[in-house]
């Protein structure tokens, strides 16, 4: 038996409880090692999402910075080539309408409301400067691909059609309470779709294609064909979309590593069960990053921000809710985030936890100045 000596904590280190992975995991990137050994992979691609429906909050930027640092750690600690692939979710609702007669909600995505050019401008505005600065700091390259572009690929559509082939089993895995997993298609005339797909009907399905019928609030019934080489735009629920994306990522030569905030852990339990519906399939390696909590203990959330219910802890600067209110340069913001998240990654017990906005503000000040707050 050997005894281990705990490292001397840094002056601004958080006080964190003992992690359940103590003595098993020295660095959070080591969660990737078992799958890496089993696959004998020489390259890894870390996948993370980018929401474009408004300015990011600091919790989003912590997750993204962690993705860069985890990729650098995979390169340096595990000896593999590593890159980042961010998915820009231009399928987020831009506008919402409600049918006055039935109460059915219809939405129009950012892609359909703004178009590709303006969508790419939003991504660059909210994340371009930060990502470029983090690449300079870590040496990790990144790419950004919109959901619209990704779902247009034949491989994505093949995986979607494969999910339909196992639908009776899969739908109770993705929605165990009801078995209802909506699939929606935008109206070809106006781009609006039923958010919950109440009137979407699967007419026929096979390995090489499927046909659906749906209803538009303004233009009535329409039909959509989904083929690997087709043009149909797929509106999928969060879990269904992630299942298709993760199975698509597994086709790549680079081993996929999924990076998400720790609030995603319950959803990933369902995703991992969904993978088991496909014979011989294995869920991807996953790493969960710390979440940032508001005064109430709820994580920072764009939906709560829009509703005016995202309360900051007392004394927390407002830019933590809206990163665009940061008054410094993108470079300074990135450097401070790099220091802050490096501190979180210095010990798994610091990484496997959440942080209130007040605690994050304290750590931010010390990371920015190098002195205790």
């Amino acid at each position: 038996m050997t005894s281990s000596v705990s490292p001397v904590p840094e002056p601004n280190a958080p006080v964190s409880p003992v992690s359940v992975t103590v003595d098993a995991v020295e660095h959070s990137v080591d969660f990737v090692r078992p799958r890496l050994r089993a696959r004998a992979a020489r390259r890894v691609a870390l996948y993370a999402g980018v929401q474009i429906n408004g300015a990011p909050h600091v919790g989003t930027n912590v997750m993204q910075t962690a993705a860069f640092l985890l990729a650098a750690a995979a390169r340096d600690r595990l000896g593999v080539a590593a890159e980042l692939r961010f998915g820009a979710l231009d399928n987020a609702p831009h506008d919402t309408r409600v049918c006055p007669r039935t109460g059915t909600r219809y939405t129009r995505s950012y892609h359909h409301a703004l178009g590709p050019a303006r969508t790419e401008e939003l991504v660059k505005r909210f994340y371009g400067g930060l990502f470029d600065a983090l690449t300079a700091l870590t040496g990790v390259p990144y790419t950004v691909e919109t959901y619209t572009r990704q779902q247009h690929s034949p491989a994505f559509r093949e995986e979607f059609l494969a999910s339909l082939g196992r639908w009776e089993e899969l739908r109770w895995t993705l929605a165990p309470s009801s078995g209802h997993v909506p699939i929606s298609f935008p109206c070809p005339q106006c781009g609006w779709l039923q958010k919950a797909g109440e009137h979407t009907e699967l007419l026929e399905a096979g390995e090489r294609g499927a046909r659906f019928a749906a209803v538009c609030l303004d233009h009535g019934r329409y039909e959509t064909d989904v083929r690997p080489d087709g043009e149909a735009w797929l509106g999928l629920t969060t879990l269904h979309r992630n299942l298709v994306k993760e199975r698509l990522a597994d086709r790549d030569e680079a081993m996929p590593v999924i990076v998400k905030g720790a609030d995603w852990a319950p959803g990933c339990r369902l995703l991992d069960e969904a993978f088991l519906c496909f014979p011989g399939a294995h869920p991807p390696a996953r790493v969960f990053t710390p979440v940032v909590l508001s005064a109430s203990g709820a994580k920072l959330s764009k939906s709560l921000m829009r509703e005016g219910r995202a309360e900051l802890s007392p004394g927390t600067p407002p830019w933590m809710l809206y990163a665009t209110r940061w008054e410094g340069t993108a470079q300074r913001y990135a450097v401070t985030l790099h220091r802050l998240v490096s501190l979180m990654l210095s010990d798994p017990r610091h990484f496997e936890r959440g942080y209130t906005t007040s605690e994050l503000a304290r750590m931010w000040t010390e990371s920015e100045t190098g002195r205790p707050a």
Side-chain angles (χ1 to χ4, degrees):
M1 175 181 295
T2 60
S3 60
S4 59
V5 179
S6 300
V8 177
E10 297 187 37
N12 61 336
V15 178
S16 301
V18 174
S19 165
V20 296
T21 64
V22 66
D23 297 330
V25 176
E26 296 178 357
H27 190 287
S28 291
V29 81
D30 290 339
F31 284 107
V32 173
R33 194 187 296 270
R35 186 60 52 79
L36 192 68
R37 288 175 59 86
R39 189 158 167 163
R42 297 183 177 182
R43 293 174 53 219
V44 296
L46 283 75
Y47 291 81
V50 174
Q51 281 281 2
I52 64 171
N53 58 339
H57 53 69
V58 70
T60 298
N61 291 155
V62 164
M63 182 275 289
Q64 293 159 344
T65 304
F68 274 95
L69 287 168
L70 287 165
R75 178 195 63 207
D76 300 339
R77 187 178 177 88
L78 305 181
V80 294
E83 61 185 277
L84 272 175
R85 299 178 185 177
F86 288 103
L89 300 177
D90 60 345
N91 59 322
H94 183 273
D95 307 300
T96 300
R97 300 169 62 191
V98 178
C99 176
R101 182 174 57 85
T102 64
T104 302
R105 281 197 307 156
Y106 290 80
T107 63
R108 186 170 57 154
S109 72
Y110 270 72
H111 167 74
H112 291 94
L114 303 182
R118 290 179 62 191
T119 296
E120 291 182 9
E121 288 175 6
L122 271 184
V123 175
K124 184 176 182 179
R125 173 190 170 196
F126 290 145
Y127 302 105
L130 174 64
F131 288 1
D132 288 345
L134 288 172
T135 287
L137 289 166
T138 61
V140 173
Y142 77 91
T143 56
V144 178
E145 183 179 47
T146 63
Y147 168 74
T148 294
R149 189 180 306 143
Q150 184 181 54
Q151 63 89 45
H152 187 69
S153 72
F156 186 100
R157 292 159 189 273
E158 288 170 359
E159 291 295 348
F160 168 72
L161 292 171
S163 73
L164 296 182
R166 301 185 178 277
W167 196 242
E168 189 55 35
E169 180 183 6
L170 199 60
R171 68 187 183 93
W172 286 104
T173 306
L174 296 175
S177 294
S178 65
H180 177 58
V181 182
I183 301 174
S184 303
F185 300 91
C187 172
Q189 298 187 57
C190 63
W192 289 82
L193 56 75
Q194 284 187 346
K195 175 66 174 176
E198 294 95 326
H199 300 105
T200 301
E201 179 185 1
L202 176 60
L203 302 178
E204 56 183 88
E207 293 184 0
R208 301 305 299 170
R211 170 168 289 189
F212 293 82
V215 176
C216 174
L217 182 60
D218 297 318
H219 302 104
R221 187 180 186 275
Y222 57 93
E223 295 186 1
T224 300
D225 289 319
V226 180
R227 301 186 309 274
D229 60 349
E231 298 292 331
W233 194 93
L234 309 178
L236 308 181
T237 63
T238 300
L239 291 179
H240 190 190
R241 182 181 70 247
N242 275 265
L243 172 66
V244 173
K245 289 168 62 175
E246 290 179 6
R247 284 182 52 79
L248 174 64
D250 198 44
R251 293 185 175 202
D252 197 283
E253 176 190 354
M255 187 188 84
V257 178
I258 310 302
V259 181
K260 293 184 181 294
D263 57 299
W264 253 93
C268 287
R269 290 173 60 187
L270 297 179
L271 283 178
D272 291 348
E273 289 289 333
F275 264 85
L276 300 180
C277 295
F278 298 85
H282 298 282
R286 304 185 188 279
V287 182
F288 297 105
T289 66
V291 293
V292 179
L293 309 175
S294 64
S296 68
K299 83 175 190 78
L300 295 187
S301 160
K302 282 194 176 71
S303 59
L304 292 181
M305 288 160 58
R306 286 193 296 269
E307 296 167 7
R309 295 192 293 161
E311 298 180 5
L312 289 172
S313 303
T316 303
W319 59 261
M320 284 197 166
L321 273 188
Y322 301 95
T324 50
R325 296 184 182 178
W326 167 260
E327 296 181 354
T329 64
Q331 176 67 22
R332 182 182 170 194
Y333 186 69
V335 167
T336 306
L337 273 170
H338 185 278
R339 292 173 181 167
L340 180 74
V341 180
S342 293
L343 180 59
M344 294 175 178
L345 276 167
S346 66
D347 190 317
R349 72 180 65 191
H350 299 333
F351 201 67
E352 298 170 21
R353 54 163 288 181
Y355 291 86
T356 63
T357 50
S358 58
E359 172 66 359
L360 198 72
R362 179 194 70 80
M363 294 172 61
W364 184 278
T365 299
E366 296 183 7
S367 295
E368 192 173 22
T369 64
R371 300 188 303 271

mmCIF file of all heavy atoms in Angstrom, residues 49-84:
data_model
loop_
_atom_site.group_PDB
_atom_site.id
_atom_site.type_symbol
_atom_site.label_atom_id
_atom_site.label_comp_id
_atom_site.label_asym_id
_atom_site.label_seq_id
_atom_site.Cartn_x
_atom_site.Cartn_y
_atom_site.Cartn_z
ATOM 1 N N GLY A 49 -21.403 22.152 -28.045
ATOM 2 C CA GLY A 49 -22.429 22.950 -28.701
ATOM 3 C C GLY A 49 -22.236 24.435 -28.488
ATOM 4 O O GLY A 49 -21.681 24.871 -27.472
ATOM 5 N N VAL A 50 -22.707 25.227 -29.443
ATOM 6 C CA VAL A 50 -22.676 26.686 -29.367
ATOM 7 C C VAL A 50 -24.098 27.191 -29.606
ATOM 8 O O VAL A 50 -24.646 27.023 -30.688
ATOM 9 C CB VAL A 50 -21.726 27.292 -30.431
ATOM 10 C CG1 VAL A 50 -21.830 28.808 -30.435
ATOM 11 C CG2 VAL A 50 -20.293 26.860 -30.170
ATOM 12 N N GLN A 51 -24.703 27.763 -28.580
ATOM 13 C CA GLN A 51 -26.032 28.349 -28.737
ATOM 14 C C GLN A 51 -25.898 29.757 -29.315
ATOM 15 O O GLN A 51 -25.065 30.535 -28.861
ATOM 16 C CB GLN A 51 -26.751 28.425 -27.389
ATOM 17 C CG GLN A 51 -27.351 27.102 -26.941
ATOM 18 C CD GLN A 51 -28.665 26.795 -27.634
ATOM 19 O OE1 GLN A 51 -29.124 27.544 -28.484
ATOM 20 N NE2 GLN A 51 -29.274 25.680 -27.268
ATOM 21 N N ILE A 52 -26.717 30.066 -30.312
ATOM 22 C CA ILE A 52 -26.627 31.397 -30.918
ATOM 23 C C ILE A 52 -27.857 32.239 -30.621
ATOM 24 O O ILE A 52 -28.004 33.324 -31.162
ATOM 25 C CB ILE A 52 -26.430 31.298 -32.443
ATOM 26 C CG1 ILE A 52 -27.648 30.642 -33.106
ATOM 27 C CG2 ILE A 52 -25.165 30.540 -32.775
ATOM 28 C CD1 ILE A 52 -27.608 30.705 -34.613
ATOM 29 N N ASN A 53 -28.736 31.746 -29.743
ATOM 30 C CA ASN A 53 -29.972 32.486 -29.451
ATOM 31 C C ASN A 53 -29.755 33.503 -28.340
ATOM 32 O O ASN A 53 -30.373 33.459 -27.284
ATOM 33 C CB ASN A 53 -31.104 31.522 -29.075
ATOM 34 C CG ASN A 53 -30.749 30.653 -27.883
ATOM 35 O OD1 ASN A 53 -29.577 30.476 -27.559
ATOM 36 N ND2 ASN A 53 -31.758 30.119 -27.225
ATOM 37 N N GLY A 54 -28.850 34.430 -28.573
ATOM 38 C CA GLY A 54 -28.569 35.485 -27.608
ATOM 39 C C GLY A 54 -27.136 35.420 -27.116
ATOM 40 O O GLY A 54 -26.407 34.447 -27.342
ATOM 41 N N ALA A 55 -26.732 36.481 -26.425
ATOM 42 C CA ALA A 55 -25.365 36.562 -25.915
ATOM 43 C C ALA A 55 -25.110 35.447 -24.905
ATOM 44 O O ALA A 55 -25.982 35.116 -24.101
ATOM 45 C CB ALA A 55 -25.140 37.925 -25.258
ATOM 46 N N PRO A 56 -23.916 34.849 -24.930
ATOM 47 C CA PRO A 56 -23.618 33.775 -23.975
ATOM 48 C C PRO A 56 -23.446 34.319 -22.565
ATOM 49 O O PRO A 56 -23.075 35.479 -22.368
ATOM 50 C CB PRO A 56 -22.299 33.210 -24.504
ATOM 51 C CG PRO A 56 -21.657 34.357 -25.227
ATOM 52 C CD PRO A 56 -22.793 35.122 -25.839
ATOM 53 N N HIS A 57 -23.726 33.476 -21.579
ATOM 54 C CA HIS A 57 -23.410 33.818 -20.196
ATOM 55 C C HIS A 57 -22.092 33.155 -19.828
ATOM 56 O O HIS A 57 -21.544 32.344 -20.589
ATOM 57 C CB HIS A 57 -24.537 33.419 -19.246
ATOM 58 C CG HIS A 57 -24.967 31.992 -19.365
ATOM 59 N ND1 HIS A 57 -24.164 30.931 -18.984
ATOM 60 C CD2 HIS A 57 -26.124 31.436 -19.810
ATOM 61 C CE1 HIS A 57 -24.795 29.789 -19.184
ATOM 62 N NE2 HIS A 57 -25.988 30.070 -19.701
ATOM 63 N N VAL A 58 -21.573 33.478 -18.658
ATOM 64 C CA VAL A 58 -20.240 33.013 -18.300
ATOM 65 C C VAL A 58 -20.194 31.499 -18.156
ATOM 66 O O VAL A 58 -19.157 30.875 -18.413
ATOM 67 C CB VAL A 58 -19.759 33.707 -17.000
ATOM 68 C CG1 VAL A 58 -20.546 33.228 -15.790
ATOM 69 C CG2 VAL A 58 -18.265 33.512 -16.797
ATOM 70 N N GLY A 59 -21.316 30.861 -17.795
ATOM 71 C CA GLY A 59 -21.325 29.410 -17.699
ATOM 72 C C GLY A 59 -21.042 28.752 -19.027
ATOM 73 O O GLY A 59 -20.314 27.746 -19.104
ATOM 74 N N THR A 60 -21.611 29.301 -20.103
ATOM 75 C CA THR A 60 -21.347 28.781 -21.446
ATOM 76 C C THR A 60 -19.872 28.916 -21.787
ATOM 77 O O THR A 60 -19.247 27.994 -22.320
ATOM 78 C CB THR A 60 -22.202 29.530 -22.477
ATOM 79 O OG1 THR A 60 -23.583 29.317 -22.201
ATOM 80 C CG2 THR A 60 -21.899 29.055 -23.892
ATOM 81 N N ASN A 61 -19.291 30.076 -21.481
ATOM 82 C CA ASN A 61 -17.889 30.310 -21.801
ATOM 83 C C ASN A 61 -16.953 29.458 -20.955
ATOM 84 O O ASN A 61 -15.865 29.081 -21.421
ATOM 85 C CB ASN A 61 -17.547 31.784 -21.639
ATOM 86 C CG ASN A 61 -18.192 32.672 -22.688
ATOM 87 O OD1 ASN A 61 -18.400 33.859 -22.466
ATOM 88 N ND2 ASN A 61 -18.523 32.109 -23.846
ATOM 89 N N VAL A 62 -17.344 29.132 -19.730
ATOM 90 C CA VAL A 62 -16.552 28.211 -18.911
ATOM 91 C C VAL A 62 -16.515 26.835 -19.577
ATOM 92 O O VAL A 62 -15.455 26.203 -19.678
ATOM 93 C CB VAL A 62 -17.131 28.113 -17.483
ATOM 94 C CG1 VAL A 62 -16.572 26.893 -16.742
ATOM 95 C CG2 VAL A 62 -16.802 29.371 -16.684
ATOM 96 N N MET A 63 -17.674 26.358 -20.050
ATOM 97 C CA MET A 63 -17.714 25.061 -20.718
ATOM 98 C C MET A 63 -16.839 25.064 -21.967
ATOM 99 O O MET A 63 -16.082 24.114 -22.222
ATOM 100 C CB MET A 63 -19.157 24.712 -21.085
ATOM 101 C CG MET A 63 -19.333 23.342 -21.740
ATOM 102 S SD MET A 63 -19.064 23.320 -23.544
ATOM 103 C CE MET A 63 -20.532 24.199 -24.080
ATOM 104 N N GLN A 64 -16.919 26.131 -22.755
ATOM 105 C CA GLN A 64 -16.150 26.186 -23.995
ATOM 106 C C GLN A 64 -14.649 26.276 -23.721
ATOM 107 O O GLN A 64 -13.844 25.634 -24.411
ATOM 108 C CB GLN A 64 -16.635 27.374 -24.831
ATOM 109 C CG GLN A 64 -18.059 27.182 -25.330
ATOM 110 C CD GLN A 64 -18.737 28.475 -25.709
ATOM 111 O OE1 GLN A 64 -18.287 29.560 -25.347
ATOM 112 N NE2 GLN A 64 -19.848 28.376 -26.419
ATOM 113 N N THR A 65 -14.274 27.041 -22.711
ATOM 114 C CA THR A 65 -12.863 27.123 -22.337
ATOM 115 C C THR A 65 -12.371 25.780 -21.844
ATOM 116 O O THR A 65 -11.248 25.350 -22.161
ATOM 117 C CB THR A 65 -12.659 28.201 -21.255
ATOM 118 O OG1 THR A 65 -13.174 29.450 -21.722
ATOM 119 C CG2 THR A 65 -11.189 28.357 -20.910
ATOM 120 N N ALA A 66 -13.208 25.086 -21.078
ATOM 121 C CA ALA A 66 -12.845 23.752 -20.608
ATOM 122 C C ALA A 66 -12.619 22.816 -21.785
ATOM 123 O O ALA A 66 -11.718 21.963 -21.748
ATOM 124 C CB ALA A 66 -13.937 23.209 -19.686
ATOM 125 N N ALA A 67 -13.411 22.956 -22.841
ATOM 126 C CA ALA A 67 -13.242 22.103 -24.015
ATOM 127 C C ALA A 67 -11.859 22.311 -24.634
ATOM 128 O O ALA A 67 -11.179 21.345 -25.012
ATOM 129 C CB ALA A 67 -14.342 22.393 -25.033
ATOM 130 N N PHE A 68 -11.423 23.567 -24.751
ATOM 131 C CA PHE A 68 -10.083 23.847 -25.275
ATOM 132 C C PHE A 68 -9.010 23.240 -24.383
ATOM 133 O O PHE A 68 -8.050 22.600 -24.873
ATOM 134 C CB PHE A 68 -9.863 25.358 -25.385
ATOM 135 C CG PHE A 68 -10.363 25.971 -26.667
ATOM 136 C CD1 PHE A 68 -11.626 26.535 -26.732
ATOM 137 C CD2 PHE A 68 -9.579 25.993 -27.802
ATOM 138 C CE1 PHE A 68 -12.100 27.111 -27.902
ATOM 139 C CE2 PHE A 68 -10.037 26.553 -28.987
ATOM 140 C CZ PHE A 68 -11.300 27.122 -29.036
ATOM 141 N N LEU A 69 -9.148 23.417 -23.070
ATOM 142 C CA LEU A 69 -8.129 22.926 -22.140
ATOM 143 C C LEU A 69 -8.130 21.403 -22.062
ATOM 144 O O LEU A 69 -7.069 20.779 -21.908
ATOM 145 C CB LEU A 69 -8.350 23.535 -20.763
ATOM 146 C CG LEU A 69 -7.971 25.020 -20.664
ATOM 147 C CD1 LEU A 69 -8.476 25.637 -19.374
ATOM 148 C CD2 LEU A 69 -6.453 25.185 -20.755
ATOM 149 N N LEU A 70 -9.302 20.777 -22.181
ATOM 150 C CA LEU A 70 -9.356 19.319 -22.208
ATOM 151 C C LEU A 70 -8.700 18.775 -23.471
ATOM 152 O O LEU A 70 -8.008 17.748 -23.431
ATOM 153 C CB LEU A 70 -10.810 18.857 -22.121
ATOM 154 C CG LEU A 70 -11.481 19.003 -20.748
ATOM 155 C CD1 LEU A 70 -12.986 18.876 -20.885
ATOM 156 C CD2 LEU A 70 -10.941 17.949 -19.773
ATOM 157 N N ALA A 71 -8.913 19.457 -24.603
ATOM 158 C CA ALA A 71 -8.263 19.036 -25.840
ATOM 159 C C ALA A 71 -6.747 19.153 -25.720
ATOM 160 O O ALA A 71 -6.002 18.254 -26.156
ATOM 161 C CB ALA A 71 -8.777 19.873 -27.007
ATOM 162 N N ALA A 72 -6.272 20.247 -25.114
ATOM 163 C CA ALA A 72 -4.834 20.407 -24.910
ATOM 164 C C ALA A 72 -4.294 19.331 -23.976
ATOM 165 O O ALA A 72 -3.190 18.798 -24.191
ATOM 166 C CB ALA A 72 -4.545 21.803 -24.343
ATOM 167 N N ALA A 73 -5.078 18.987 -22.938
ATOM 168 C CA ALA A 73 -4.648 17.942 -22.007
ATOM 169 C C ALA A 73 -4.622 16.577 -22.686
ATOM 170 O O ALA A 73 -3.738 15.756 -22.421
ATOM 171 C CB ALA A 73 -5.579 17.913 -20.789
ATOM 172 N N ALA A 74 -5.585 16.315 -23.575
ATOM 173 C CA ALA A 74 -5.575 15.048 -24.319
ATOM 174 C C ALA A 74 -4.322 14.955 -25.175
ATOM 175 O O ALA A 74 -3.679 13.895 -25.266
ATOM 176 C CB ALA A 74 -6.830 14.950 -25.181
ATOM 177 N N ARG A 75 -3.959 16.062 -25.792
ATOM 178 C CA ARG A 75 -2.747 16.099 -26.620
ATOM 179 C C ARG A 75 -1.502 15.865 -25.769
ATOM 180 O O ARG A 75 -0.639 15.038 -26.110
ATOM 181 C CB ARG A 75 -2.669 17.454 -27.326
ATOM 182 C CG ARG A 75 -1.436 17.675 -28.184
ATOM 183 C CD ARG A 75 -1.324 19.169 -28.509
ATOM 184 N NE ARG A 75 -1.126 19.965 -27.293
ATOM 185 C CZ ARG A 75 -1.503 21.246 -27.166
ATOM 186 N NH1 ARG A 75 -2.104 21.873 -28.165
ATOM 187 N NH2 ARG A 75 -1.268 21.889 -26.030
ATOM 188 N N ASP A 76 -1.387 16.591 -24.665
ATOM 189 C CA ASP A 76 -0.160 16.569 -23.871
ATOM 190 C C ASP A 76 -0.093 15.379 -22.922
ATOM 191 O O ASP A 76 0.992 14.836 -22.682
ATOM 192 C CB ASP A 76 -0.050 17.865 -23.055
ATOM 193 C CG ASP A 76 -0.019 19.108 -23.930
ATOM 194 O OD1 ASP A 76 0.323 18.984 -25.122
ATOM 195 O OD2 ASP A 76 -0.365 20.192 -23.425
ATOM 196 N N ARG A 77 -1.231 14.963 -22.382
ATOM 197 C CA ARG A 77 -1.241 13.915 -21.375
ATOM 198 C C ARG A 77 -1.443 12.528 -21.989
ATOM 199 O O ARG A 77 -0.857 11.550 -21.515
ATOM 200 C CB ARG A 77 -2.344 14.210 -20.349
ATOM 201 C CG ARG A 77 -2.359 13.293 -19.140
ATOM 202 C CD ARG A 77 -3.459 13.713 -18.170
ATOM 203 N NE ARG A 77 -3.526 12.807 -17.042
ATOM 204 C CZ ARG A 77 -2.824 12.939 -15.921
ATOM 205 N NH1 ARG A 77 -1.984 13.954 -15.788
ATOM 206 N NH2 ARG A 77 -2.943 12.073 -14.936
ATOM 207 N N LEU A 78 -2.260 12.451 -23.025
ATOM 208 C CA LEU A 78 -2.586 11.158 -23.628
ATOM 209 C C LEU A 78 -1.821 10.904 -24.919
ATOM 210 O O LEU A 78 -1.889 9.811 -25.482
ATOM 211 C CB LEU A 78 -4.095 11.070 -23.884
ATOM 212 C CG LEU A 78 -4.999 11.310 -22.674
ATOM 213 C CD1 LEU A 78 -6.461 11.180 -23.069
ATOM 214 C CD2 LEU A 78 -4.656 10.357 -21.529
ATOM 215 N N GLY A 79 -1.147 11.924 -25.437
ATOM 216 C CA GLY A 79 -0.298 11.742 -26.604
ATOM 217 C C GLY A 79 -1.041 11.532 -27.907
ATOM 218 O O GLY A 79 -0.589 10.771 -28.771
ATOM 219 N N VAL A 80 -2.172 12.202 -28.074
ATOM 220 C CA VAL A 80 -2.949 12.079 -29.305
ATOM 221 C C VAL A 80 -3.153 13.458 -29.920
ATOM 222 O O VAL A 80 -3.107 14.481 -29.228
ATOM 223 C CB VAL A 80 -4.322 11.430 -29.035
ATOM 224 C CG1 VAL A 80 -4.157 9.984 -28.591
ATOM 225 C CG2 VAL A 80 -5.117 12.222 -27.998
ATOM 226 N N ALA A 81 -3.369 13.493 -31.213
ATOM 227 C CA ALA A 81 -3.747 14.745 -31.861
ATOM 228 C C ALA A 81 -5.172 15.080 -31.441
ATOM 229 O O ALA A 81 -6.037 14.198 -31.366
ATOM 230 C CB ALA A 81 -3.658 14.602 -33.371
ATOM 231 N N ALA A 82 -5.427 16.347 -31.156
ATOM 232 C CA ALA A 82 -6.743 16.735 -30.649
ATOM 233 C C ALA A 82 -7.227 17.998 -31.336
ATOM 234 O O ALA A 82 -6.442 18.905 -31.632
ATOM 235 C CB ALA A 82 -6.690 16.955 -29.134
ATOM 236 N N GLU A 83 -8.524 18.051 -31.598
ATOM 237 C CA GLU A 83 -9.142 19.224 -32.196
ATOM 238 C C GLU A 83 -10.523 19.408 -31.602
ATOM 239 O O GLU A 83 -11.086 18.488 -30.989
ATOM 240 C CB GLU A 83 -9.251 19.059 -33.714
ATOM 241 C CG GLU A 83 -10.118 17.870 -34.129
ATOM 242 C CD GLU A 83 -10.112 17.650 -35.632
ATOM 243 O OE1 GLU A 83 -10.889 18.348 -36.308
ATOM 244 O OE2 GLU A 83 -9.346 16.774 -36.099
ATOM 245 N N LEU A 84 -11.068 20.606 -31.787
ATOM 246 C CA LEU A 84 -12.402 20.928 -31.281
ATOM 247 C C LEU A 84 -13.362 21.138 -32.432
ATOM 248 O O LEU A 84 -13.014 21.772 -33.437
ATOM 249 C CB LEU A 84 -12.350 22.211 -30.439
ATOM 250 C CG LEU A 84 -12.038 22.041 -28.960
ATOM 251 C CD1 LEU A 84 -11.900 23.405 -28.302
ATOM 252 C CD2 LEU A 84 -13.101 21.234 -28.257
#
